[in-house]
Amino acid sequence: TAVTDILTYLWSLEHRDIAMFISDDDPVSNPPMIAAYERFFAENNYPVKIADLNTPRAITADTHVAVLTRYAMEVLQSKPRPTAVIGGDTYISGMQTEFSKAGVALPGAISLVGIDDSPVALQVKPQLTSYRFPLDEIGRASVEELLQKIADPSRSNRQIFLDGKIIFREAAGPASPAV
């Protein structure tokens, strides 16, 4: 999964206290993302010391900036402070702005990795490392599955898993010593 791939990458850079920003408006994606996060740390025998930062946050168009500002401040005040934060590109880029305003070196003090590899990943400085889903393949597989289901309605549904990849950019780097 995207979360496992990102955590594996950050782990290889010596990051251990990694926060994951989650909006509470995605009941489909959130449970597998949270499960992947928890499973990764359990498999690496590392207790999550910053679990309170991983609580899904209520965020709307009206509260977007306020929620991300508050979350960025929570990250900066956390003990231990995360050395990396992951989440959707839009959220991570919003936090990146707040970290920059606070004078936090990116990726020196905190590494940021997005999920989606959306255009916003290229619009911020430093540019976001981000996970890219194979959207063309997902579309092709979905249409293929739909056509097979139309041809044979009794056919059982199947899950299709397609791997994406991390697009490496400047906002992620080796972990810095604990703050």
Side-chain angles (χ1 to χ4, degrees):
T1 69
V3 171
T4 302
D5 289 353
I6 292 167
L7 291 172
T8 300
Y9 165 65
L10 289 169
W11 197 264
S12 76
L13 295 174
E14 302 299 322
H15 292 277
R16 297 297 180 264
D17 295 312
I18 304 166
M20 183 169 66
F21 181 85
I22 307 164
S23 170
D24 72 354
D25 68 349
D26 193 348
V28 174
S29 297
N30 285 351
M33 286 176 57
I34 293 167
Y37 180 94
E38 291 171 348
R39 187 173 47 254
F40 181 87
F41 282 96
E43 288 172 358
N44 284 284
N45 297 314
Y46 192 85
V48 176
K49 301 174 193 167
I50 52 168
D52 56 321
L53 292 173
N54 300 332
T55 304
R57 311 293 168 125
I59 188 168
T60 65
D62 294 336
T63 65
H64 190 266
V65 172
V67 171
L68 295 178
T69 299
R70 187 169 48 252
Y71 185 82
M73 292 306 115
E74 288 176 29
V75 166
L76 294 176
Q77 295 166 0
S78 180
K79 299 290 183 208
R81 184 165 88 185
T83 59
V85 180
I86 67 174
D89 286 354
T90 303
Y91 303 132
I92 294 297
S93 65
M95 280 178 255
Q96 182 172 353
T97 300
E98 295 306 316
F99 291 141
S100 293
K101 285 182 193 174
V104 175
L106 301 171
I110 297 177
S111 285
L112 301 174
V113 178
I115 301 171
D116 296 330
D117 196 35
S118 66
V120 74
L122 298 172
Q123 295 169 352
V124 292
K125 297 292 179 208
Q127 291 182 340
L128 285 180
T129 292
S130 189
Y131 190 89
R132 180 182 293 164
F133 293 97
L135 298 180
D136 290 345
E137 290 177 52
I138 291 169
R140 206 172 0 269
S142 298
V143 169
E144 206 172 280
E145 185 68 17
L146 178 61
L147 292 173
Q148 290 177 11
K149 187 68 171 177
I150 290 170
D152 180 6
S154 65
R155 183 178 179 275
S156 61
N157 293 332
R158 63 185 182 121
Q159 285 187 316
I160 301 169
F161 296 95
L162 299 169
D163 292 327
K165 63 182 177 181
I166 297 173
I167 305 301
F168 301 99
R169 297 193 187 97
E170 301 89 22
S176 59
V179 177

